[in-house]
Amino acid sequence: MDLEVFIGEVADRIVAYLNAADKPGRVAEPMPYSTLSKITDLKIPLEGHGMDAVLDDMDTYLRSCVKTNRPEFMNPLWGGVSTVGLAGEIIASLTNTSMYTYELAPLATLIEHTILKRMGEIVGFEDGAGTLTTGGSNGNMLGMLCARQAMNPSSTQSGFDGRTMVAYVSSEAHYSVLMSANVIGIGHQNVVKVACDEGGCMRPSALQEEIERTRRDGGVPFCVVSTAGSTVRGAFDPLKDIGDIAHANGLWHHVDAAWGGSAMFSSKFRPLMDGVEFADSVCWDAHKMMGLPLICSAFLVKDSELLGRLCAHGEVAHYLFHEESKNVDSGRYSLQCGRRNDALKLWLAWRECGDAGWAKLVERYMELGDYLESKVQEHESLQMMSSRMWTNVCFRFSPKGYEGNLNELNSEIRSRMMQNGNFMVSRSNIGEDVVIRSVITNPKITEQTLDNFLSEITRIYEEVVRGMPSEHPYPSS
Ligand SMILES: Cc1ncc(COP(=O)(O)O)c(C=O)c1O
């Protein structure tokens, strides 16, 4: 098959996949691992099958994948896909480079610098630095590593004993802070989970108490990680108050804004992030609310030199980094060697919509969150399980007079919803309670989608409580 025909075939599949999201269909065709592995030809051949066969393999893949661009996909903190972002991803792969030196990625480097500068300005780190990372998890790790570097500048050279160093996070923080504690060498047990208020926001007074307790116990506090948009409830910690406590105690303040960072685009919701400008570092995922294809994630730091010192290991790489390009090579600010060009897709999407486009997107998502919340509140058997600050809508069935176990009921409803494949939402916990967490972060979601979602979930609920048979409203694709 010649190049043009092959690429044309691939392009047809891309267009068909994108268009299918606007037609009735299912998000997923759930199938057990064992069944999927039996019915799919996965063998790696000794002799290749050729390009025609690869197109069939693509069709097999496209048929069985979860359709994350469908409006009914409301499960993780990302969904849908920016068309321009997708085009950027394709062009970045096409031009296959690595983001360590200007020499290898000239315009990509300028684009990445532009993106990081702009994101830094939005945060309030006008003279800061940053890097695009492999995600918010690694952004949190970099934040904690910078905190370690600030407290113990020789640690990159001499190593260090982290057994007394203590970091503080909200009790609802993302699990990546534990991974970070492992990697930077303080261990899980040195992450203190600070109590939250009823809405899931870290309580500043509890933070102060925990810091004092650590000191009494002989520990060395070094870092506070706030969450701006928590994973389950979308809660924003009070950044200003927490930052004040962190700094008054000489601690680094990192803000995990992987999920909530996009609030900064909207003058209406920017106050959720008040105080971020006083933080020391921030991570912010553009692959979440901004809809860029995974991965697209920024780590931003106020003290640009500190990040450079942390990543000084590159100095020995004479085969890559040279003195004359010292000021322009992005690899000097990264823990990675080979690094994807994630800047291009973000830059293109940003050029397409401008700050105003992101603000509109955020405000529309919040409007839809309000809509879903109001429908939940109107429904006689549904109960909101948390106050709402962001687009996470956490609720559950809690019918009056129901005598069974509500956790089992809601788990069963969600599990049947997954089996049907018509909608995808997350099952999470708030305290001891199982909740259904739906998230608005997909440009295809409308009020109609949310109405359909509630009718579908109510239908399943009735089926579970009354033992009625299931009917699929949509045909199998
Ligand atoms: C609050 C928060 N921080 C960090 C992360 C990790 O981000 P990533 O998946 O980009 O590593 C998540 C993921 O959902 C998150 O919810």
Side-chain angles (χ1 to χ4, degrees), residues 77 135-138 140 174 176 227 229-231 256 258-259 285 287-288:
L77 305 181
S137 301
N138 280 12
N140 286 338
H174 188 254
S176 56
T227 308
S230 62
T231 310
D256 173 358
W259 171 221
D285 277 353
H287 63 234
K288 289 195 163 73

Side-chain angles (χ1 to χ4, degrees), residues 167-213:
Y168 304 83
V169 303
S170 118
S171 57
E172 304 208 4
H174 188 254
Y175 73 91
S176 56
V177 291
L178 291 179
M179 172 279 288
S180 309
N182 174 10
V183 174
I184 72 162
I186 65 166
H188 291 186
Q189 67 183 18
N190 284 335
V191 175
V192 171
K193 299 200 167 167
V194 179
C196 288
D197 64 17
E198 284 190 347
C201 309
M202 192 197 292
R203 284 180 36 230
S205 57
L207 172 64
Q208 181 62 44
E209 284 160 22
E210 293 291 1
I211 293 172
E212 286 164 14
R213 192 197 319 271

Side-chain angles (χ1 to χ4, degrees), residues 37 50 68 84 150 179 214 246 325 346 395 405 413 432 434 464:
S37 63
T68 62
V84 170
M179 172 279 288
T214 301
S325 52
L346 177 53
F395 66 94
N405 180 314
I413 291 170
E432 299 295 308
V434 167
V464 172

Side-chain angles (χ1 to χ4, degrees), residues 7-28:
I7 297 295
E9 289 282 346
V10 174
D12 288 348
R13 282 163 176 77
I14 293 174
V15 172
Y17 178 84
L18 292 175
N19 282 338
D22 297 322
K23 299 179 189 133
R26 296 166 73 193
V27 185

Side-chain angles (χ1 to χ4, degrees), residues 41-336:
D41 175 9
L42 294 162
K43 284 188 298 297
I44 305 295
L46 288 178
E47 297 290 334
H49 294 161
M51 271 177 147
D52 295 19
V54 167
L55 289 172
D56 293 339
D57 291 340
M58 278 178 207
D59 290 334
T60 304
Y61 178 79
L62 286 166
R63 258 195 312 276
S64 82
C65 71
V66 173
K67 312 295 182 297
T68 62
N69 65 331
R70 290 198 63 85
E72 301 87 358
F73 180 76
M74 299 188 271
N75 187 338
L77 305 181
W78 49 270
V81 68
S82 142
T83 311
V84 170
L86 170 65
E89 180 82 7
I90 293 169
I91 300 294
S93 292
L94 174 74
T95 54
N96 195 33
T97 192
S98 179
M99 298 297 291
Y100 25 64
T101 58
Y102 177 79
E103 190 174 86
L104 275 170
L107 190 52
T109 300
L110 286 173
I111 288 172
E112 185 170 86
H113 288 168
T114 304
I115 289 291
L116 290 168
K117 181 153 185 10
R118 185 75 193 107
M119 291 177 100
E121 283 165 2
I122 290 171
V123 166
F125 294 175
E126 277 77 8
D127 300 318
T131 179
L132 293 186
T133 69
T134 58
S137 301
N138 280 12
N140 286 338
M141 187 192 71
L142 260 177
M144 286 172 71
L145 209 46
C146 284
R148 190 188 88 176
Q149 172 78 10
M151 161 131 301
N152 189 342
S154 64
S155 57
T156 46
Q157 285 294 324
S158 54
F160 89 128
D161 181 348
R163 281 176 295 181
T164 54
M165 306 256 296
V166 178
Y168 304 83
V169 303
S170 118
S171 57
E172 304 208 4
H174 188 254
Y175 73 91
S176 56
V177 291
L178 291 179
M179 172 279 288
S180 309
N182 174 10
V183 174
I184 72 162
I186 65 166
H188 291 186
Q189 67 183 18
N190 284 335
V191 175
V192 171
K193 299 200 167 167
V194 179
C196 288
D197 64 17
E198 284 190 347
C201 309
M202 192 197 292
R203 284 180 36 230
S205 57
L207 172 64
Q208 181 62 44
E209 284 160 22
E210 293 291 1
I211 293 172
E212 286 164 14
R213 192 197 319 271
T214 301
R215 291 207 166 110
R216 278 198 305 276
D217 295 347
V220 183
F222 81 108
C223 172
V224 180
V225 177
S226 299
T227 308
S230 62
T231 310
V232 176
R233 305 205 223 188
F236 286 71
D237 290 342
L239 303 183
K240 170 83 175 61
D241 293 351
I242 289 174
D244 285 350
I245 293 173
H247 292 150
N249 283 279
L251 315 188
W252 185 272
H253 183 207
H254 171 74
V255 177
D256 173 358
W259 171 221
S262 306
M264 290 182 284
F265 284 117
S266 156
S267 52
K268 195 164 165 201
F269 298 110
R270 166 90 201 188
L272 291 168
M273 296 285 298
D274 274 356
V276 67
E277 63 277 22
F278 304 119
D280 299 295
S281 58
V282 172
C283 74
W284 174 5
D285 277 353
H287 63 234
K288 289 195 163 73
M289 195 168 270
M290 290 160 79
L292 272 301
L294 290 123
I295 295 288
C296 194
S297 176
F299 172 75
L300 305 160
V301 59
K302 193 173 260 168
D303 178 350
S304 59
E305 288 182 10
L306 185 134
L307 183 60
R309 285 196 299 277
L310 182 73
C311 300
H313 42 261
E315 299 291 341
V316 301
H318 50 82
Y319 36 84
L320 212 51
F321 299 118
H322 303 136
E323 189 57 27
E324 56 276 20
S325 52
K326 196 173 169 118
N327 297 329
V328 292
D329 292 340
S330 342
R332 293 174 184 271
Y333 291 89
S334 175
L335 295 180
Q336 292 171 244

